[in-house]
Structure formats: C-alpha cells, structure tokens
Amino acid sequence: MNDDARIAALEQQVAALTRQVGLLEDTFAVRHLQFKYGYYMDKCLYDPIIDLMADDCEIHFLGGVFRGKEGAGRLYCGRLRNRFAGGTDGPKPGLLMDHPQLQDIVDVAPDGLTARGRFRYLMQAGTHYTTGTAHQWWEGGLYENTYVKRDGAWQIQIIVPKMCYVGYYEHGWAYTKPDAINNLSKTFPEDPYGPDELADAPLVLWPQTDILPFHYPHPVTGEPVEMEK
Amino acid sequence: MNDDARIAALEQQVAALTRQVGLLEDTFAVRHLQFKYGYYMDKCLYDPIIDLMADDCEIHFLGGVFRGKEGAGRLYCGRLRNRFAGGTDGPKPGLLMDHPQLQDIVDVAPDGLTARGRFRYLMQAGTHYTTGTAHQWWEGGLYENTYVKRDGAWQIQIIVPKMCYVGYYEHGWAYTKPDAINNLSKTFPEDPYGPDELADAPLVLWPQTDILPFHYPHPVTGEPVEMEK
Amino acid sequence: MNDDARIAALEQQVAALTRQVGLLEDTFAVRHLQFKYGYYMDKCLYDPIIDLMADDCEIHFLGGVFRGKEGAGRLYCGRLRNRFAGGTDGPKPGLLMDHPQLQDIVDVAPDGLTARGRFRYLMQAGTHYTTGTAHQWWEGGLYENTYVKRDGAWQIQIIVPKMCYVGYYEHGWAYTKPDAINNLSKTFPEDPYGPDELADAPLVLWPQTDILPFHYPHPVTGEPVEMEK
C-alpha cells in the first residue's frame, strides 16, 4: 500500500474512533446528568433542577404532563418546593427526600444529539419525630427519559418518573392501599401548580404491575420486548 | 522522522486505540446486559431472559447447576414462571419482584470475547394484601458472572446469584431462620424443574458469611484477596 | 492537502483521542476502585482496604481526621476491626455489614493524575438473633472523595463518608435520636485508635440536613450550586 492509501485508511479509522469516543463520553455525561438530578432532588434544589431541563421539556408526573420551563417551574418550584421545602430552595431540617438513582441503561443516538435512558430509583423519605410528625416511607420506581445535547451540554428533554410502589415504613409495600396516590386532576391555570394537560392514563401503583416500555430492543435477539399484562 | 515512520507510528497507535475503545464499549455492553436481566426479572419476562443466555450457559441457583438452554428453561420458564407468574410470561397483579442491580465491576478480557462481572442486587418482593395473602421481604445478594461475545452480541454464560440475606419485612434480616431457604435436593428428571446436578456445596444464608470469591485481584497490589472465614 | 499536512492532522487527532480514551479508562478505574472498597467493607477485609489508600491519605470519619497509612490503620485495622470483626480480618458469622455503593459521579482531571468522585451508600447491617443479640439497621450516606494515580494504579487519597441517616430496623429513620451517633472526641495517642485531629465541625445526622458540597458545577449552567441551609 502506498502512503496515500495508508493515510486515507488512517483518516477513516480516526474518524470512526472519534465518533465512538464521543458516544462513550456522551454516555457518561447522560448518566451523570441523571445522577446529578437525583442528588439535587435529595436536597430540594429545585432551581438547579429547572436548569437541567431543555426549553421544550416535558415532565410526566402523577398523571399530568408539564411542558417547557414554565410547566417545569410550576411542578418543581411551585408544587414540590411548597410541599417539601416551605417555598424556598434547599433542604429543611427534619425532612428526608433521598432519591438514589441506579441501574442506568443509556443509549446515545449515532448523531450524538439525543439519548434515551432507563434508570431506577429507590427512595427513602419522611419527616423526623422532632418535627412533631413522624412519617416515613420507601418508594421505588423507574424512569424512561429522553435527553438532548444543545450548545454542548446534555439536558433532560422528557422525564417519566414511573412510581411503582410506595411502602409506609411501619407497614411495608404489601399494605399500601391501591388508591394511596392521588393523580393530578386539574390543569393549569385552574390548578396554579397544575400540568399543561392530563395524561392519557393515570399513574397506577402496585398492586398494578404495568410494564414501563423499554426504549431498547432485546440485546441478543434485537427484537422488541413487548408489554404484557 | 520521515513520512513512512510517522505513518507506521500512527498505524500502531490507531490499532491500540481501536482495541481500547472496543473494550470500553464492551464494558458498557456487559453492564447493560446484566442491568437488562434485572429489569426483565422485575417483570417475570422469562422468555427474554432465556434469550440472554449463551447456548452453553450455567446457572448456579439454590445449590443446583442448570446447564444449557434446556436447563435454563427448566429454571426460569418452569420453576420460577410457575411459582411467580402463574405459568405465563409477564408480571401478575399483586406480585412484586423488583431486582435492582448495582455496583458493577466488569472486566473484559483483552481479546474482547469474554468478560467477568461482579454485581450486587437488593430486592423488594412480595404479594399485596389485595391478593388475599400479604407477604413481603427484602433480599440482598451478589453475582459473579461470566459473559461471552458471540456473533457480535454479549450473552450470559455463567450466572451465580449468591443470595446473602433475606429479611421478612415485618421482622428484618436479623430474625430470619438460618434454614429459611430450601436448597434444591433433586436433579432433573426426578424433579421436572430440577437442576442438571447439585452443587458441591449448598447455598448458605446469613448468619453465615462466606465470601463469594472476587474475580479480580486487589486493584493496587495486584495480589489476590483470598477467602477468609 | 499534501501528505505532510494530512499526517500532522492525524497526529493531532490521535494525540487527542489518546487523552480522551485514557480519561474514560480512568473513569472506570476510579468507580471500580470505590466499588471494590464497598465489597471489601462488606466482608471486614480491612488490610485490603488499607492497601487501597495512598500514603498521604486522609479519612474523615465521625468528626475526626485520620492521616496516612498509620492513621488509616488505626481506624480500619484498630477501631473498626476490633469492633466489627473481633480483631481479625474477614467476616464473622452473624455480623452483617453490607455497604452497597451507587450513583457514581467521577471526574478525572485533564492530566489523568487526580480525580474527584461523589458516591452514595445504602447500608444493611446488624447482628443475627443466633448470636444472642439481634440488632439491625439501615444507614444511608454520601462520599465526596479524592483519588490519585501513582505508579499506574488509582488509590484513595481523601475519603469523606458522610453518614446522613441511621434507621434502626424496628423503628425506621424517623425515630432515630438526633444524638444517636457519638462523634470522636479524643485524638491519638490519648485514644489509641483515635484520629490525628478532630474535624472543624462534628458529623451531624438527620434531622439535620446539611449539604455535602458538590465537587462539580451545575452540568448545564457551569455555575457552582452552593450550599444552602
């Protein structure tokens, strides 16, 4: 092979490696993004959470869909910040909101501009007896999220936190009433912290066992693994 | 340095980078494979689990060894599917089988064809009171697995789920009887869903504290860290 | 472009790729290092833990700072090994010390010689009723650690295990007394297993909710996310 051909071959290989390395860096960036979301949620840092969201974000939460920075603001900086943090960012003594994030499956699109991620969370939450009202619960769930890379930074575009079970500490998940969670029923502006629209289907908790669809095919057969009831 | 020497140096570097990048991609592929196993186990998707297994797979479960697709089928699609999913794939209302997977240490062999992985699981399981029988437990354990890459797809070749403790929700792990778990005692075909053979040693639960051997040496000294009692 | 220019461009690209791939390998190495720390802690393998530490290590534990291999030895092979493992390395029947490690955010410095890592742990611990004293607890916390690469091997330089809550199994985290944990109060040699010095501030448990500072800026804005009370 002459020099020209060898150089051309190298150019092709280096271009391929550059794409592959970029996708590996992106995979780490996306999982770190989601893990940072979890660490901010631990501490009721809702302004930083809004900054993780893309301008055209969608948050699917308790049977509602919140759209854009405004919708995200109503959910995180309105509804959640008022409920869990007394209206100001930052953790409040006596409130536990730990949001461990794990079991990440991140798939970055070949163009390096969008990604899908499946994650699990396993929450420890409650209020301490010294606040006057002891309350404590376990909560487990999944995410199937979409991410976008804009101006060089990965952001959360669609976030679907699928709560699967809630277990009050004293009784455990086996005794939680099927209707323990209230889905959102009013949209904004009727509910000032409400969603832009209601979801097609409400969130159902265990004992229901619907499958949150997998964004990826089976890793060996390449076939979709379909929802089954 | 003349052009020839520079090109030759580049060819060597690019070959080395190609190997390194391949191993990084494989590391992600193997951890994703194991994490997908966990997500399928959550939902009693046993046919997809069989498809994750290599033709010459070995599953070390409750003191038995199940070999090949047939053995894997007896375990997942016979024993477990009958016990936990009423004989058909997919989750059943009122049954919780969450299998979080975490703390992955994946080492891909230099040839990129086999890999070893240590993982942990931390399970939430049970039946909901609305089924008529409330039952709930925590379960923690480890895996030391072997993976193979065939036809471009990573598969599970040897899977060793080492249950470490079981804690019934009402009492916790400190009160579980040492003989709470029944090891398998009969092989196939005497037990139609039995293993091909019994393991050399039965599975022992906490309060026993045997170490599942580490597939990797100490990361600083390079020496093996031996089992100690 | 002539051959010379093409070769020069390739040399630059390959140099950049080599740095990027090195950082990806280092990222995996550091998270594996921390995960291996967790697996050794599970099993009271304190000598291997000392071998994970850099010669100039610092361990920030319960309001004390232990320095260097000698300080680390007093903590792990003195205090902890005597308390949890009867003075010898290895797990003891009836004692559970599971230290799951998760939610890793590892940032390797551009020179590939130091790294920072944030991790979470979620512990299951206790003594089994067959020992005569049943005792069991949940414990959750964070790490913000510094790692160094020396002689080609990543080591732990500064480790800050920030215990956040303790929940005795029978009562849960909501009922743990605020002063349930005793901070270290005497230094070495007055306390033969004591720290080299006391920390500026004692460890405070939930219901306190101080934020362990993030080693990284916000991933989208690039601004620090400050501690808030």
Side-chain angles (χ1 to χ4, degrees), chain B residues 55-141:
Chain B
D55 284 341
D56 56 348
C57 64
E58 280 180 35
I59 302 126
H60 295 239
F61 181 79
L62 280 185
V65 185
F66 297 80
R67 293 189 187 282
K69 294 274 191 184
E70 275 195 32
R74 291 197 306 276
L75 174 59
Y76 290 104
C77 299
R79 183 172 291 273
L80 299 180
R81 187 154 70 189
N82 285 331
R83 174 156 180 202
F84 292 121
T88 60
D89 252 26
K92 298 305 174 290
L95 179 85
L96 188 71
M97 278 280 111
D98 273 11
H99 275 72
Q101 307 280 311
L102 65 159
Q103 206 173 339
D104 50 293
I105 294 183
V106 170
D107 292 291
V108 181
D111 66 7
L113 296 177
T114 64
R116 299 294 306 272
R118 191 179 186 91
F119 289 83
R120 189 193 294 272
Y121 73 90
L122 177 56
M123 194 170 168
Q124 301 87 43
T127 49
H128 195 265
Y129 81 91
T130 52
T131 65
T133 310
H135 183 56
Q136 50 188 337
W137 77 94
W138 290 102
E139 184 181 317

Side-chain angles (χ1 to χ4, degrees), chain B residues 23-210:
Chain B
L23 294 180
L24 289 164
E25 292 174 335
D26 287 331
T27 302
F28 269 119
V30 169
R31 66 192 291 282
H32 285 177
L33 176 65
Q34 181 67 31
F35 286 179
K36 289 172 184 177
Y37 171 87
Y39 285 129
Y40 294 148
M41 286 293 284
D42 289 354
K43 295 297 181 183
C44 302
L45 293 167
Y46 298 114
D47 285 332
I49 283 170
I50 299 297
D51 288 334
L52 297 175
M53 302 288 164
D55 284 341
D56 56 348
C57 64
E58 280 180 35
I59 302 126
H60 295 239
F61 181 79
L62 280 185
V65 185
F66 297 80
R67 293 189 187 282
K69 294 274 191 184
E70 275 195 32
R74 291 197 306 276
L75 174 59
Y76 290 104
C77 299
R79 183 172 291 273
L80 299 180
R81 187 154 70 189
N82 285 331
R83 174 156 180 202
F84 292 121
T88 60
D89 252 26
K92 298 305 174 290
L95 179 85
L96 188 71
M97 278 280 111
D98 273 11
H99 275 72
Q101 307 280 311
L102 65 159
Q103 206 173 339
D104 50 293
I105 294 183
V106 170
D107 292 291
V108 181
D111 66 7
L113 296 177
T114 64
R116 299 294 306 272
R118 191 179 186 91
F119 289 83
R120 189 193 294 272
Y121 73 90
L122 177 56
M123 194 170 168
Q124 301 87 43
T127 49
H128 195 265
Y129 81 91
T130 52
T131 65
T133 310
H135 183 56
Q136 50 188 337
W137 77 94
W138 290 102
E139 184 181 317
L142 302 170
Y143 298 92
E144 271 286 352
N145 298 339
T146 300
Y147 306 87
V148 289
K149 192 179 190 178
R150 291 189 184 147
D151 301 324
W154 283 98
Q155 302 169 38
I156 300 173
Q157 187 183 42
I158 305 176
I159 182 164
V160 182
K162 164 68 180 102
M163 196 187 300
C164 293
Y165 64 84
V166 170
Y168 300 104
Y169 195 94
E170 285 72 11
H171 302 293
W173 45 79
Y175 291 98
T176 303
K177 292 193 179 165
D179 63 355
I181 294 300
N182 290 319
N183 274 270
L184 300 174
S185 59
K186 294 178 190 171
T187 54
F188 176 81
E190 189 184 359
D191 177 349
Y193 300 135
D196 291 276
E197 56 190 87
L198 298 180
D200 293 336
L203 179 77
V204 291
L205 272 193
W206 193 61
Q208 291 310 308
T209 52
D210 54 321

